[in-house]
Amino acid sequence: MSLPGPSTTVTAAMRDRRSVRAFTDQPVDRALLRTILETAQRAPSGGNVQPWQVSVLTGDSLSAMIAAVGARLAMGAAGSQPEYQIYPDPTPDPWMARRYGVAYAMYESLGIAREDKMGRAMAMANNFKAFGAPVLLFVHCQRFMGPPQWADMGIWLQSVMLLCREAGLDTCPQEAWANFGQTVRDQLGLGDDQILYTGLAIGHADWSAPVNNFPVDRAPLDEVVSWHGF
Ligand SMILES: Cc1cc2nc3c(=O)[nH]c(=O)nc-3n(C[C@H](O)[C@H](O)[C@H](O)COP(=O)(O)O)c2cc1C
């Protein structure tokens, strides 16, 4: 297995980036994160609105977030406070098949059988420990922002993930935190005028963990691209 070191081109960063769900406890330097976030400010947005607002947590602040959300998680369905509906209901194929595809590949890498509901729930709960990452960042914006501004937040998010790769850091975007939007906002001191988009775990990947090594396919290009006038 070749371990991805820092990516030195945009192409390499695109190819090497993957969602990392096991981190070492090596801390992440605040100055390095600041440089990454400064550079990510160059991300484009419609009308240069730059809708993203960002909260970055480590240490005690991260522990307090994990404890607060963990308490809600322990309440079962009653503890959930969805900020928005993450997936369309129903989600038809081929989109649903893609969701299942990555989920089963991940559970298989963790040695969790498909019918093991408890095992899957415990793996899911790992989201709320930021997969052991030393840094967790939250992206939020004003609640009145619409789909175009949400797309802008996505562009910003990928910019950060690619810049992290260049810095030898890895990431996992985590919209799972949006299931506990109120608690996250309370912990961050954000009012109801803000809406939480996603978390982003950041740290040094533990490449020895099988969960960081299973392949995640993409649809063949011709399924998503049609050419006109060529
Ligand atoms: C906005 C966003 C939110 C995501 N939320 C989660 C999450 O809550 N938990 C998780 O394990 N993965 C999450 N993912 C990771 C996706 O499952 C992953 O990007 C997808 O399966 C493709 O795999 P790759 O990132 O390893 O290439 C999220 C990805 C994005 C872009």
Side-chain angles (χ1 to χ4, degrees):
M1 184 183 65
S2 71
L3 306 180
S7 307
T8 54
T9 64
V10 176
T11 300
M14 279 298 293
R15 291 201 173 130
D16 293 344
R17 187 213 57 79
R18 60 167 296 137
S19 294
V20 157
R21 298 183 180 87
F23 292 87
T24 71
D25 49 19
Q26 187 180 338
V28 176
D29 186 45
R30 180 186 158 136
L32 176 61
L33 270 179
R34 199 181 160 87
T35 302
I36 289 169
L37 296 178
E38 286 272 16
T39 310
Q41 281 299 101
R42 298 302 307 166
S45 55
N48 204 22
V49 163
Q50 305 163 65
W52 51 84
Q53 290 177 251
V54 184
S55 303
V56 192
L57 285 71
T58 194
D60 290 346
S61 301
L62 177 53
S63 301
M65 179 66 75
I66 288 172
V69 171
R72 298 293 303 189
L73 187 65
M75 293 165 63
S80 165
Q81 314 140 305
E83 197 76 326
Y84 55 88
Q85 186 175 319
I86 294 180
Y87 299 108
D89 184 17
T91 303
D93 281 341
W95 303 281
M96 194 62 176
R98 292 174 188 164
R99 264 185 76 187
Y100 277 128
V102 68
Y104 286 135
M106 183 182 76
Y107 293 131
E108 197 180 322
S109 80
L110 290 164
I112 299 169
R114 285 184 187 208
E115 58 282 2
D116 180 0
K117 259 182 112 170
M118 179 61 91
R120 281 189 278 133
M122 283 168 68
M124 174 66 187
N126 250 335
N127 266 291
F128 306 109
K129 295 178 183 149
F131 300 114
V135 171
L136 175 62
L137 159 166
F138 288 103
V139 195
H140 38 93
C141 71
Q142 290 289 323
R143 198 170 284 275
F144 55 71
M145 296 292 183
Q149 289 77 44
W150 279 65
D152 293 339
M153 285 196 287
I155 293 172
W156 178 89
L157 189 71
Q158 170 75 330
S159 304
V160 171
M161 293 192 285
L162 297 180
L163 289 164
C164 281
R165 274 265 78 252
E166 187 187 40
L169 296 169
D170 282 277
T171 54
C172 187
Q174 294 190 276
E175 58 204 353
W177 292 96
N179 289 315
F180 298 94
Q182 181 73 51
T183 305
V184 172
R185 279 186 283 107
D186 287 350
Q187 285 293 311
L188 298 176
L190 302 175
D192 284 346
D193 59 323
Q194 291 276 311
I195 184 164
L196 172 67
Y197 165 37
T198 188
L200 182 71
I202 303 177
H204 294 90
D206 174 0
W207 291 119
S208 71
V211 74
N212 288 340
N213 288 286
F214 68 89
V216 186
D217 291 343
R218 293 297 191 269
L221 192 65
D222 292 338
E223 251 183 52
V224 299
V225 176
S226 62
W227 307 88
H228 304 262
F230 278 87

